[in-house]
């Protein structure tokens, strides 16, 4: 008679550690229900598979470093006239990701650019892809410090391994020559191996000014826009529209989002 302790050990050696942990319970359950050998084995393998998938998702979500976790089920298409339900469904199918087709989400603050990017990123993880989410400021910091800070080095490696790289609030700040060069190098490395999502409140035409170098800008733009879908997100700021107000009927008249650049 083999003790479950020994079996658990063997399962661990065979890298079936999730099942090892659950084994005593599964045996008891199978005995109680008089399950067949085949049924028992199927349950065991299904359990291992399910737990592995859950752990993969967990690990990749951590890797991605999303600012929040909110799935596209919560995305209200009625509020976003730039996208129909059909188009949103199409985006969710992620064929563009396989085809290395970049997405550029443009629009003023509060219209849901970051939400849409995060939602698509999460969807990609569920479907088996690796994703990195980077606010532009963080990205520049990572690129500038990858030689001296280990954490930056790790993140840079992850970016390069990602199937989808989301850069949030692209060009919200002016970059100096060194930063622009580093950024261009990265885009160059990612080009042809990863798909990109950019969110920005400025259109590609204005990016040149911020990069301060027409040559580099044109090169970046060529690369990115060659295969890209540009989605102009519009409408009122969702944030402002639904913010809680202490005054009755105050919400719509003065919308600070319209005059403030974030
Ligand atoms: P942006 O990145 O364009 O500034 P966010 O994605 O940060 O905007 O959205 C601002 C807030 O409004 C967030 O709390 C977001 O969840 C919410 N929001 C924006 N658009 C929608 C939408 N279509 N459906 C549901 N929530 C939305
Ligand atoms: Mg945003």
């Amino acid at each position: 008679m083999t003790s479950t302790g020994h079996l658990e050990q063997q399962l661990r050696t065979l890298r079936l550690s999730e099942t090892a942990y659950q084994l005593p319970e599964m045996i008891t359950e199978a005995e109680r229900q008089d399950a067949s050998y085949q049924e028992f084995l199927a349950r065991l393998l299904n359990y291992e598979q399910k737990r592995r998938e859950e752990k993969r998702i967990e690990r990749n979500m951590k890797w991605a470093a999303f600012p929040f976790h909110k799935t596209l089920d919560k995305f209200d298409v009625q509020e976003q006239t730039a996208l129909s339900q059909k188009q949103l469904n199409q985006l969710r199918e992620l064929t563009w990701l396989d085809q290395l087709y970049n997405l550029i989400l443009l629009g003023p603050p509060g219209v849901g650019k970051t939400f849409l990017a995060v939602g698509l990123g999460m969807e990609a993880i569920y479907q088996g892809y690796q994703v990195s989410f980077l606010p532009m400021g963080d990205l520049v910091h990572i690129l500038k410090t990858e030689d001296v800070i280990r954490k930056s080095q790790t993140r840079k490696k992850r970016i390069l391994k990602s199937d989808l790289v989301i850069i949030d609030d692209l060009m919200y700040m002016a970059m100096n020559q060194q930063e622009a060069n580093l950024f261009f190098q990265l885009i160059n490395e990612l080009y042809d191996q990863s798909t990109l999502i950019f969110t920005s409140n400025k259109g590609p035409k204005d990016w040149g000014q911020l990069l301060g170098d027409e040559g580099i800008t044109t090169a970046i733009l060529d690369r990115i826009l060659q295969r890209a879908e540009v989605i102009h997100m519009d409408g009122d700021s969702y944030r402002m529209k639904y913010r809680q107000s202490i005054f009755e009927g105050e919400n719509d008249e003065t919308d600070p989002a319209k005059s403030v650049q974030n």
Side-chain angles (χ1 to χ4, degrees), residues 113-114 168-169 199 239 262:
K113 302 182 296 297
T114 303
D168 196 32
D169 281 328
T199 78
R239 206 184 271 134
N262 77 352

Side-chain angles (χ1 to χ4, degrees), residues 120-139:
L120 289 170
M122 289 180 66
E123 186 67 39
I125 290 179
Y126 292 130
Q127 294 192 29
Y129 297 96
Q130 281 191 13
V131 180
S132 285
F133 180 100
L134 299 134
M136 185 67 179
D138 290 7
L139 175 63

Side-chain angles (χ1 to χ4, degrees), residues 39-86:
E39 172 65 23
F40 175 65
L41 187 60
R43 278 188 205 170
L44 210 108
L45 297 178
N46 283 340
Y47 180 76
E48 181 72 29
Q49 214 168 20
K50 188 177 125 247
R51 279 298 297 144
R52 276 193 196 183
E53 177 64 2
E54 283 167 4
K55 278 168 75 177
R56 180 194 67 76
I57 290 173
E58 219 173 277
R59 195 171 52 241
N60 283 0
M61 287 290 176
K62 222 186 250 174
W63 252 60
F66 294 119
F68 51 84
H69 292 126
K70 214 159 140 183
T71 59
L72 290 177
D73 299 328
K74 301 270 174 351
F75 193 85
D76 185 354
V77 262
Q78 310 300 348
E79 291 290 339
Q80 188 38 256
T81 45
L83 275 179
S84 66
Q85 184 65 53
K86 193 173 154 205

Side-chain angles (χ1 to χ4, degrees), residues 7 11 14 16 18-20 22-23 26-31 33-50:
L7 287 175
L11 284 168
L14 291 168
L16 298 163
E18 292 296 322
T19 308
Q22 202 62 19
L23 189 69
M26 291 182 91
I27 291 177
T28 314
E29 175 102 343
E31 280 171 352
Q33 296 175 344
D34 225 355
S36 70
Y37 297 123
Q38 187 168 347
E39 172 65 23
F40 175 65
L41 187 60
R43 278 188 205 170
L44 210 108
L45 297 178
N46 283 340
Y47 180 76
E48 181 72 29
Q49 214 168 20
K50 188 177 125 247

